[in-house]
Amino acid sequence: MKKIIVLTLVLGLFCFSAWPVSAQDQPTAQPSTEELEKEKAEREKNAYHLLDLVVDEAQSLRLTENRVRVQINAADMLWDQNQGRARSLFSLAAEGIGELGRNQANQRFQPGRNEGPPSPSMRIFQLRQELVMAAGKHDAALAYQMLAATKPPVSVQPATEQRGPRPNMTTDENLEQQLLARIASLDPKLAAQNAEQMIEKGQLPASIAEVINQLRRQDPDAAEKLADKTVKKLQATNLLTNPEAGGLVQTLLRLGPLTNSEPRSGRSPILEPPAYIELLTTVVDVALKATPQGQRIQAPQRGRPPNPTVPRQTGALTDAQIEQNNARRLLAGLQIVLPMVDQYLPTKAPALRQKMTEVGMPALPMNMGATPGSSPTNPTTDALVQAAATAPQQMQARLYQQAAYKAIEEGDTERARQIANDHLQPNMRDNVISRIDFREIAKKAEGARIEDVRQAVARLQTDNQKIDFLIQLAKEAQKTDEKQALQLLEDARQITNRRPTAYEHFEQQLRVSRAYSTIDPGRSFEMLDPGINQLNELLAAAAVLSGFEISMFRDGEMAIQPGGNGLTQMVNRFGQELAQLATIDFERSQTLAGRFQFPEARIMTRLAIVQGLIGARRLGPRGTAENVIIRQD
């Protein structure tokens, strides 16, 4: 009887202990659509509640520009949820910018004070730029309204930076051209109307090309009319005295003519072949007027506008010098479209190549990225090696380095090592060899014991290499062995377990914290906590030194601005990491953001959290969209 009882207990224990193992073998239940929608709604609720707190706290800020920046960001993020309030915040921001402009004008022209020409006021222009571009993401008409409402008195308008023979352009014209590119996809017809007005005023910004491109998708006939008007205006313009028109010409030519083939990725051609050929003929004829005069022009890098190198001028340029500089710029731009010249203007191609040789401008290799299986944007190793072999000497090293990196990417480290040893100078060669060694060590360490991994880490030269190596292995190990992944991250954390003495050390800690977020978010929060304490100390020290050693505070308040100095950028970085963690634990992220002692830092961090939760994008220093959350890889 006792044996039966014991047997029964054993079987019961076996079944009881086996149940969890069996349960683990079951596939993890995926959340339903309803659950996902509920989670999203909860995140947005938390985000908008936090945004309300940020807007309220911002009212206590002393600097008008800080309040304006919070209003712009808040309006941008509120647009989809509460358009009425967003418009109100945009208007408040416009009023604040107007107030800054009026105050600036009064300070400049008080009797007996500040006599002479006014100095540039770039801060006001930057705020206008951020406001107009943010509004332009949502409502084109509103953006133009903001542009007009914030126009400062002439006395405080900053002068556009002059770099050589550029057209005299007011900041309003400059900002209007930026806005034109922003609204091209939002409201192509309005953009087209404004583009026509610019053309009539003699303005020919490169953004007109994007307007035509976007308009073609909605109204091909209207796009064709605008394209014809643009080409006629360009042909009637003296390209040797109007570099702005030269920039638009080069943009149009690089896009190529419209064809019946499948559209390419990225920006599409916008000119019909006849119009394209006419414009190409005009530009070639003008570029052929360039003369050597002992001046060299750098070959343009693919994907970038030509960057002519012209000797410094000690005095004002003569008209003839200006025309020759512009002729050389046009000639440099034609390097990239030489295949089009060969195809459509074969009789002019030899003269064009001869002219490039005369002015000391090497023609780009015809075979760059053109081997089978490659493309100009993603050439193979063989294509890059062939291009380097026939490229001008000043381009060869860069191409060989790209070929070596491509070989590493393709998994052929031996080929990469050979290219580096045969063709690169010591500094570039060492960089390539270092990357090869890293790749080979990582490959050998995959699936290795933790002791072997630590030996491999010890052979790496810098902390950054060691940290990146351990994080990479941890990401791989996480797929099969979470315990080992945690061990690897713990080793990485030990490397960063010190009080930072440079911004680089903060970045190392943030990288490890981000790696922990998918395995052990609690450890991520723990790693951020001491960093916030130290940033508080640094901010307090900066406030004391402001005006002596550094100038990041005005009237005792730190400027909330895109970019900024290293300390401001680091506050932003912590905000980005907390934004990532807020999707996992909102309350703890909010609490850590509240640990910043300066209200400006709290506001910056909380704005980042809101942006991360609702998937918003913030504006960069020039009004361009930036991802709030930086990808780990």
Side-chain angles (χ1 to χ4, degrees):
M1 182 68 181
K2 289 182 179 180
K3 290 182 178 180
I4 295 175
I5 294 174
V6 171
L7 181 59
T8 303
L9 289 173
V10 170
L11 289 172
L13 287 172
F14 174 79
C15 294
F16 182 80
S17 62
W19 179 80
V21 176
S22 177
Q24 289 177 3
D25 292 337
Q26 297 299 318
T28 305
Q30 296 296 321
S32 64
T33 302
E34 183 178 349
E35 290 172 331
L36 291 174
E37 289 296 327
K38 186 176 180 181
E39 289 178 5
K40 179 182 176 183
E42 184 65 22
R43 283 198 305 270
E44 291 184 352
K45 177 183 176 182
N46 290 333
Y48 289 122
H49 175 69
L50 181 58
L51 186 57
D52 287 337
L53 296 178
V54 169
V55 173
D56 290 342
E57 186 174 14
Q59 299 309 308
S60 64
L61 296 174
R62 291 187 292 275
L63 291 179
T64 301
E65 66 185 80
N66 278 348
R67 295 196 300 273
V68 165
R69 279 203 166 93
V70 173
Q71 290 161 351
I72 292 172
N73 278 276
D76 183 24
M77 291 183 284
L78 278 169
W79 187 270
D80 292 334
Q81 193 254 0
N82 188 338
Q83 189 177 126
R85 190 180 180 203
R87 288 179 178 275
S88 176
L89 287 169
F90 276 135
S91 297
L92 286 174
E95 291 173 8
I97 295 172
E99 176 189 343
L100 285 172
R102 290 189 295 272
N103 291 342
Q104 190 82 359
N106 292 336
Q107 291 174 7
R108 287 180 184 280
F109 295 100
Q110 291 179 5
R113 181 182 177 186
N114 292 332
E115 299 295 339
S119 60
S121 182
M122 290 307 300
R123 288 203 300 270
I124 295 176
F125 174 72
Q126 288 170 358
L127 286 171
R128 292 186 71 209
Q129 186 181 52
E130 292 168 30
L131 170 64
V132 169
M133 295 306 231
K137 291 168 58 179
H138 308 290
D139 187 313
L142 176 65
Y144 280 103
Q145 179 184 335
M146 296 293 98
L147 179 67
T150 57
K151 185 174 182 178
V154 175
S155 60
V156 296
Q157 288 191 21
T160 302
E161 184 179 3
Q162 300 293 313
R163 294 183 179 179
R166 298 289 182 183
N168 292 323
M169 185 187 302
T170 67
T171 54
D172 256 45
E173 291 172 337
N174 184 292
L175 188 51
E176 188 176 358
Q177 291 184 8
Q178 294 178 47
L179 181 57
L180 183 68
R182 169 56 59 86
I183 69 167
S185 59
L186 185 67
D187 192 339
K189 291 189 177 181
L190 177 60
Q193 293 173 7
N194 291 323
E196 289 186 2
Q197 292 175 7
M198 287 184 180
I199 292 173
E200 290 171 0
K201 291 188 295 184
Q203 297 178 32
L204 292 162
S207 52
I208 289 179
E210 181 62 18
V211 175
I212 299 172
N213 184 36
Q214 296 292 340
L215 185 62
R216 187 176 296 280
R217 301 175 185 179
Q218 287 191 4
D219 191 338
D221 291 338
E224 188 61 33
K225 291 178 182 177
L226 180 57
D228 287 342
K229 182 176 291 188
T230 302
V231 170
K232 286 183 173 60
K233 185 68 174 181
L234 286 170
Q235 289 178 313
T237 300
N238 186 348
L239 299 179
L240 294 180
T241 60
N242 191 329
E244 180 188 46
L248 175 57
V249 160
Q250 292 175 3
T251 298
L252 294 172
L253 293 182
R254 283 197 296 269
L255 293 175
L258 283 165
T259 64
N260 295 326
S261 59
E262 289 294 323
R264 301 176 303 182
S265 60
R267 301 177 71 180
S268 303
I270 57 179
L271 297 181
E272 295 288 348
Y276 183 88
I277 294 171
E278 286 182 18
L279 190 59
L280 184 61
T281 302
T282 299
V283 176
V284 169
D285 290 342
V286 173
L288 286 174
K289 297 179 181 179
T291 57
Q293 296 182 349
Q295 298 182 1
R296 297 179 60 195
I297 305 253
Q298 282 185 335
Q301 297 181 13
R302 190 169 295 279
R304 297 183 182 180
N307 180 25
T309 301
V310 180
R312 288 180 177 273
Q313 301 290 339
T314 56
L317 296 175
T318 66
D319 290 343
Q321 288 174 323
I322 291 174
E323 291 186 5
Q324 278 302 307
N325 287 344
N326 288 331
R328 294 186 184 92
R329 289 187 176 94
L330 290 172
L331 192 63
L334 289 172
Q335 288 179 293
I336 293 176
V337 297
L338 272 175
M340 296 298 176
V341 178
D342 292 330
Q343 180 177 352
Y344 295 106
L345 304 174
T347 59
K348 293 181 180 290
L352 187 61
R353 283 189 166 82
Q354 179 63 31
K355 179 61 67 175
M356 289 178 178
T357 302
E358 288 177 6
V359 301
M361 184 189 307
L364 291 177
M366 293 297 296
N367 62 339
M368 181 181 290
T371 59
S374 70
S375 69
T377 58
N378 187 28
T380 63
T381 301
D382 289 336
L384 289 167
V385 169
Q386 292 176 23
T390 58
Q393 186 175 2
Q394 63 267 32
M395 297 174 62
Q396 287 182 347
R398 182 61 177 166
L399 287 170
Y400 277 124
Q401 186 185 44
Q402 291 178 1
Y405 286 151
K406 188 65 178 180
I408 296 173
E409 181 184 327
E410 293 172 351
D412 192 347
T413 54
E414 286 303 317
R415 177 85 183 280
R417 193 183 300 274
Q418 179 186 2
I419 294 171
N421 288 329
D422 291 348
H423 301 290
L424 298 180
Q425 295 299 315
N427 188 33
M428 297 179 77
R429 181 176 65 241
D430 291 345
N431 288 334
V432 172
I433 297 300
S434 177
R435 188 175 296 191
I436 292 172
D437 291 342
F438 183 93
R439 179 69 173 262
E440 290 180 342
I441 291 173
K443 187 174 181 180
K444 292 178 182 178
E446 289 178 6
R449 297 179 305 166
I450 192 69
E451 293 80 8
D452 297 330
V453 171
R454 286 168 179 163
Q455 290 178 9
V457 170
R459 293 195 294 271
L460 296 173
Q461 296 179 355
T462 67
D463 285 348
N464 278 327
Q465 289 178 338
K466 294 174 182 179
I467 292 167
D468 290 342
F469 177 64
L470 288 166
I471 290 175
Q472 179 180 329
L473 291 182
K475 289 171 66 176
E476 293 299 321
Q478 186 180 352
K479 301 173 184 177
T480 56
D481 190 342
E482 190 171 291
K483 182 178 179 181
Q484 186 182 45
L486 287 169
Q487 285 181 312
L488 293 166
L489 290 181
E490 178 60 23
D491 284 359
R493 190 186 69 82
Q494 288 299 326
I495 297 174
T496 68
N497 192 21
R498 63 188 173 199
R499 181 179 173 85
T501 56
Y503 292 126
E504 180 185 18
H505 299 157
F506 278 117
E507 283 291 348
Q508 291 170 351
Q509 292 178 347
L510 291 173
R511 293 209 304 274
V512 178
S513 170
R514 171 65 68 90
Y516 265 119
S517 65
T518 59
I519 306 178
D520 186 356
R523 185 59 60 88
S524 296
F525 286 109
E526 291 174 8
M527 291 191 67
L528 295 179
D529 196 2
I532 292 175
N533 291 336
Q534 188 173 349
L535 286 175
N536 283 330
E537 296 173 10
L538 293 172
L539 288 169
V544 172
L545 291 172
S546 186
F548 292 92
E549 298 294 333
I550 57 176
S551 299
M552 61 178 291
F553 282 78
R554 291 196 302 276
D555 296 333
E557 190 169 287
M558 179 179 70
I560 299 175
Q561 61 182 3
N565 57 29
L567 192 51
T568 306
Q569 291 176 10
M570 193 49 59
V571 172
N572 275 320
R573 286 287 291 113
F574 271 75
Q576 291 163 5
E577 295 306 317
L578 287 174
Q580 171 76 13
L581 290 168
T583 61
I584 302 170
D585 189 336
F586 171 77
E587 292 299 333
R588 196 166 179 181
S589 296
Q590 221 291 63
T591 300
L592 272 185
R595 294 281 302 279
F596 280 103
Q597 295 172 0
F598 282 75
E600 309 92 275
R602 284 198 303 272
I603 287 172
M604 291 167 62
T605 308
R606 285 171 171 165
L607 278 176
I609 291 175
V610 175
Q611 290 164 331
L613 288 175
I614 65 176
R617 295 165 73 85
R618 65 180 177 187
L619 294 179
R622 297 182 180 275
T624 55
E626 292 179 339
N627 282 328
V628 173
I629 298 175
I630 295 178
R631 292 174 54 191
Q632 182 176 338
D633 56 353

